[in-house]
Amino acid sequence: MRQKGTGARDAAVERQRARELFAAARRITALTGAGVSTASGIPDFRGPNGVWTRNPAAQRLSDIDSYVFDPQVRELAWRSRAEHPAWHAEPNAAHRAFVDLDRAGRLGALLTQNIDELHQRAGLDRDRVLELHGTMFKVVCLSCGAVTSMRSALRRVADGEPDPSCLECGGILKSATISFGQALDAEVLRRAQRAALDCDLFLAAGTSLTVHPAAGLAELAVRAGAELVICNAEPTPYDEVAAAVLRGPLVEVLPELVAVPLNESAPPLRTWGDPSTWD
């Protein structure tokens, strides 16, 4: 058996190793990124055809300082939100694979960096999904914290307000997503860390594992004793500590992995995050 971090990775060997790990996993925590939604028509950011790869200047729309201090950035951001492909996208086989995993009773939690809510639309219970980077379907005031729907804000844009302000206090409105320079919601992050500690397999799918603190959850899980399986089109900084790395299309790879039944003779679940599993 190939040891972690050594030698070239043979695709067939990695595939078989991933299947063995899934067969032995009783509680799986998943972290998903933009790569899970590309088959639904939503481009990723850093891939060969990613939004920021094709247009590096577009990254300013995701920078909180640029957004707050430059009205032109905000106006462009509002136009971009109205045109976002998530409004018309449908869940794909990768999203549905996590629903199957949940119905099998093996998905502990799904942590997602995506803001498109396709996991929920595929059928996952909203309580099972932790949106690390928020959702594009809500709007928050950066001054008073009032939350409204994205649809209502976009109606104001369509009616002639290029940069709508908060109706409660006049503050700057922004999608309820996490931009560069903003901290993650403390409670969401705490729950995500707990989920990383409370699994025997951590699956990172469609994520470059370069944006922290989300990316660090993979390392946290490994340090707690979980096996790490990475499914991503491009190499990640955590490939060397992963027990298996798969490069195939997620709409094929994930359904195949999820279909692997639990080996009932596998060792009992023991995780740092669940005292009931301690000896």
Side-chain angles (χ1 to χ4, degrees), residues 1-2 18 48-49 76-77 101-102 105 110 124 146 164 175 183 197 218 245 274:
M1 183 181 296
R2 182 192 55 76
N49 295 307
L76 182 58
L101 189 63
D102 186 40
L110 188 138
L124 270 185
S175 61
L197 294 171
V245 177
D274 186 350

Side-chain angles (χ1 to χ4, degrees), residues 1 28 57 73 120 128 156 181-182 192 213 228 238:
M1 183 181 296
I28 298 168
V73 168
Q120 296 93 320
R128 186 75 72 191
R156 294 172 61 189
Q182 284 186 297
L228 173 62
Y238 292 90

Side-chain angles (χ1 to χ4, degrees), residues 123-205:
L124 270 185
D125 191 299
R126 290 185 177 274
D127 291 337
R128 186 75 72 191
V129 181
L130 292 178
E131 294 175 311
L132 298 174
H133 294 166
T135 173
M136 63 163 282
F137 295 104
K138 293 181 181 179
V139 170
V140 64
C141 174
L142 297 181
S143 296
C144 72
V147 177
T148 55
S149 73
M150 179 60 74
R151 287 188 184 276
S152 64
L154 290 178
R155 280 196 293 269
R156 294 172 61 189
V157 174
D159 288 341
E161 295 183 66
D163 179 22
S165 58
C166 177
L167 295 175
E168 298 293 330
C169 73
I172 293 174
L173 294 180
K174 178 185 173 296
S175 61
T177 58
I178 302 298
S179 297
F180 290 110
Q182 284 186 297
L184 269 64
D185 180 277
E187 176 60 18
V188 170
L189 180 58
R190 186 196 67 78
R191 291 175 60 194
Q193 291 168 334
R194 176 66 179 268
L197 294 171
D198 189 18
C199 64
D200 50 3
L201 188 148
F202 190 94
L203 171 64

Side-chain angles (χ1 to χ4, degrees), residues 194 196-199 220-221 223-225 270-275 277-278:
R194 176 66 179 268
L197 294 171
D198 189 18
C199 64
L220 180 63
R223 289 181 177 274
R270 291 186 178 86
T271 74
W272 280 18
D274 186 350
T277 68
W278 301 352

Side-chain angles (χ1 to χ4, degrees), residues 32-265:
T32 66
V36 170
S37 294
T38 54
S40 295
I42 301 176
D44 61 16
F45 297 98
R46 296 177 176 81
N49 295 307
V51 174
W52 297 338
T53 304
R54 291 183 287 106
N55 181 17
Q59 191 163 347
R60 292 192 70 214
L61 302 183
S62 299
D63 177 82
I64 189 62
D65 288 336
S66 297
Y67 189 87
V68 169
F69 294 110
D70 190 338
Q72 290 185 331
V73 168
R74 293 199 298 275
E75 291 180 14
L76 182 58
W78 284 112
R79 293 198 297 271
S80 176
R81 290 165 188 148
E83 299 165 357
H84 199 288
W87 290 107
H88 308 290
E90 294 294 332
N92 62 57
H95 297 107
R96 292 190 290 271
F98 291 107
V99 177
D100 292 340
L101 189 63
D102 186 40
R103 290 173 177 168
R106 301 173 67 192
L107 180 65
L110 188 138
L111 325 176
T112 186
Q113 296 170 281
N114 296 340
I115 61 173
D116 53 37
E117 296 192 7
L118 287 179
H119 284 299
Q120 296 93 320
R121 289 179 57 196
L124 270 185
D125 191 299
R126 290 185 177 274
D127 291 337
R128 186 75 72 191
V129 181
L130 292 178
E131 294 175 311
L132 298 174
H133 294 166
T135 173
M136 63 163 282
F137 295 104
K138 293 181 181 179
V139 170
V140 64
C141 174
L142 297 181
S143 296
C144 72
V147 177
T148 55
S149 73
M150 179 60 74
R151 287 188 184 276
S152 64
L154 290 178
R155 280 196 293 269
R156 294 172 61 189
V157 174
D159 288 341
E161 295 183 66
D163 179 22
S165 58
C166 177
L167 295 175
E168 298 293 330
C169 73
I172 293 174
L173 294 180
K174 178 185 173 296
S175 61
T177 58
I178 302 298
S179 297
F180 290 110
Q182 284 186 297
L184 269 64
D185 180 277
E187 176 60 18
V188 170
L189 180 58
R190 186 196 67 78
R191 291 175 60 194
Q193 291 168 334
R194 176 66 179 268
L197 294 171
D198 189 18
C199 64
D200 50 3
L201 188 148
F202 190 94
L203 171 64
T207 171
S208 63
L209 293 175
T210 57
V211 178
H212 288 267
L217 296 168
E219 181 177 1
L220 180 63
V222 170
R223 289 181 177 274
E227 299 284 7
L228 173 62
V229 174
I230 296 175
C231 303
N232 196 56
E234 303 292 329
T236 82
Y238 292 90
D239 288 0
E240 290 300 303
V241 299
V245 177
L246 305 181
R247 298 285 184 226
L250 295 182
V251 292
E252 299 174 7
V253 170
L254 292 178
E256 179 181 324
L257 285 180
V258 168
V260 176
L262 175 66
N263 181 352
E264 295 297 344
S265 64

